[in-house]
Amino acid sequence: MDPEITREKLIRAVRDQIECELLLGASWLPFERINNNPNRTDPDDNPTGQMTMAARAKKQVNEMDKRPMDSKQEKLDQLARVVAACCECPLHKSRLNCVPGEGDPNARIVFVGEAPGQSEDEQGRPFVGRSGDLLTNIIGAMGLSRQAVFIGNILKCRPPNNANPTPEQVAACSHFLHEQLAIIQPEVVVALGACAAQTLLKCKTPIGRLRGEFHEYRPTPDSAPIKLVATYHPSYLLRNYTPDARLSVWKDMQDVLKELGMPIPKK
Ligand code: URA
């Protein structure tokens, strides 16, 4: 053991951690407050003069309480921090970075993919590999930029070897996307591929049959409905680079632009 770690230091570290947990609302601890030192009446009191972890957390919470209602960006940032701390499924152990998603918090259109791949895992950003280049081109062909939309995924961590998400992983992670969509409240969600479309619509219908119409999606049971369009995933287009598949996706994107009253760029 590191000789620098004295018994007192260890006790102080554990005490700080527990105080912090209590402060943040932990209900599983068998007491409400640590105060077995008669001279120590407040967690802010620290004989060393240093601010304890609990005191720092309390200060932060107080400061947060004083702020005006969080903006959409702040809410998304807050959620991204929760995603980064998530251990709800084993994928957090193998990932390099989580990939919460990115883009305009006031976007009218949100694109939803399946899960980060290798490049996304390395960079912590969605759709930055080969599929991402194609998605960026599709967005460009719509007369938009990546910055003008929001891009997210059903899973926030990369499944090893890019395996298909398991039902358990989807069940553990998809609530983050619903929360993001509840914050952004876009006018249209574009579900890229079967995993995204079936997860958001809670169905098992093949992507080919989900395409070609607007569906209704609600991030929470009380949310207003959001229009959802299902289309092929860019990686499907890379594997099946046929004019038919490309045209299908372009037709789906034209439907989105028409629905939003946006101009359809000429090729
Ligand atoms: N495929 C996805 O579904 N999402 C990404 O972010 C990248 C590739």
Side-chain angles (χ1 to χ4, degrees):
M1 185 150 90
D2 181 347
E4 292 291 289
I5 303 179
T6 60
R7 188 170 167 273
E8 285 68 30
K9 275 189 189 166
L10 259 177
I11 291 173
R12 200 162 56 236
V14 171
R15 174 192 291 275
D16 280 350
Q17 186 62 44
I18 294 174
E19 281 179 343
C20 183
E21 296 291 340
L22 288 171
L23 195 70
L24 298 179
S27 54
W28 44 268
L29 288 163
F31 39 75
E32 285 178 7
R33 181 174 182 127
I34 305 169
N35 197 6
N36 54 8
N37 175 351
N39 299 321
R40 198 165 180 221
T41 53
D42 191 279
D44 300 27
D45 287 343
N46 183 337
T48 67
Q50 286 174 336
M51 206 179 212
T52 63
M53 201 159 129
R56 270 202 304 278
K58 187 173 161 190
K59 193 162 171 264
Q60 270 171 13
V61 170
N62 284 342
E63 277 163 12
M64 272 163 72
D65 284 349
K66 279 190 227 129
R67 285 186 312 185
M69 250 259 282
D70 288 351
S71 69
K72 286 185 179 188
Q73 185 64 66
E74 284 171 319
K75 286 181 184 162
L76 290 173
D77 290 347
Q78 225 163 344
L79 195 54
R81 285 194 288 277
V82 179
V83 170
C86 175
C87 309
E88 281 179 53
C89 85
L91 294 185
H92 75 279
K93 292 184 204 156
S94 52
R95 75 179 186 207
L96 291 174
N97 289 292
C98 65
V99 184
E102 67 182 23
D104 184 350
N106 297 301
R108 298 180 74 189
I109 309 174
V110 172
F111 290 85
V112 176
E114 181 177 301
Q118 185 179 351
S119 309
E120 291 77 17
D121 183 44
E122 284 165 2
Q123 296 184 40
R125 297 181 55 213
F127 281 98
V128 287
R130 279 186 72 222
S131 305
D133 290 343
L134 185 50
L135 178 62
T136 306
N137 289 346
I138 293 169
I139 294 169
M142 297 170 77
L144 302 169
S145 66
R146 282 177 68 110
Q147 293 72 34
V149 300
F150 191 91
I151 304 174
N153 278 304
I154 299 291
L155 297 192
K156 307 303 188 199
C157 297
R158 180 191 184 204
N161 306 316
N162 301 339
N164 289 337
T166 65
E168 291 75 24
Q169 290 161 358
V170 171
C173 199
S174 53
H175 66 95
F176 288 127
L177 180 71
H178 296 302
E179 287 164 49
Q180 289 174 313
L181 291 168
I183 293 168
I184 299 169
Q185 294 179 292
E187 287 164 73
V188 175
V189 171
V190 178
L192 301 164
C195 174
Q198 293 173 351
T199 302
L200 294 177
L201 295 175
K202 298 188 176 67
C203 72
K204 293 259 175 270
T205 314
I207 187 77
R209 287 215 280 123
L210 290 172
R211 277 196 56 248
E213 61 178 299
F214 284 98
H215 303 268
E216 242 183 35
Y217 158 74
R218 288 174 202 264
T220 69
D222 310 327
S223 306
I226 297 172
K227 294 203 164 69
L228 183 147
V229 164
T231 194
Y232 296 121
H233 193 284
S235 66
Y236 172 83
L237 293 186
L238 289 174
R239 286 194 309 272
N240 305 277
Y241 211 63
T242 64
D244 261 8
R246 288 208 303 274
L247 209 61
S248 301
V249 172
W250 180 231
K251 156 124 199 358
D252 295 336
M253 296 307 101
Q254 283 180 315
D255 289 346
V256 170
L257 292 170
K258 270 186 231 153
E259 177 64 29
L260 295 175
M262 291 176 164
I264 298 172
K266 295 274 171 282
K267 290 219 178 165

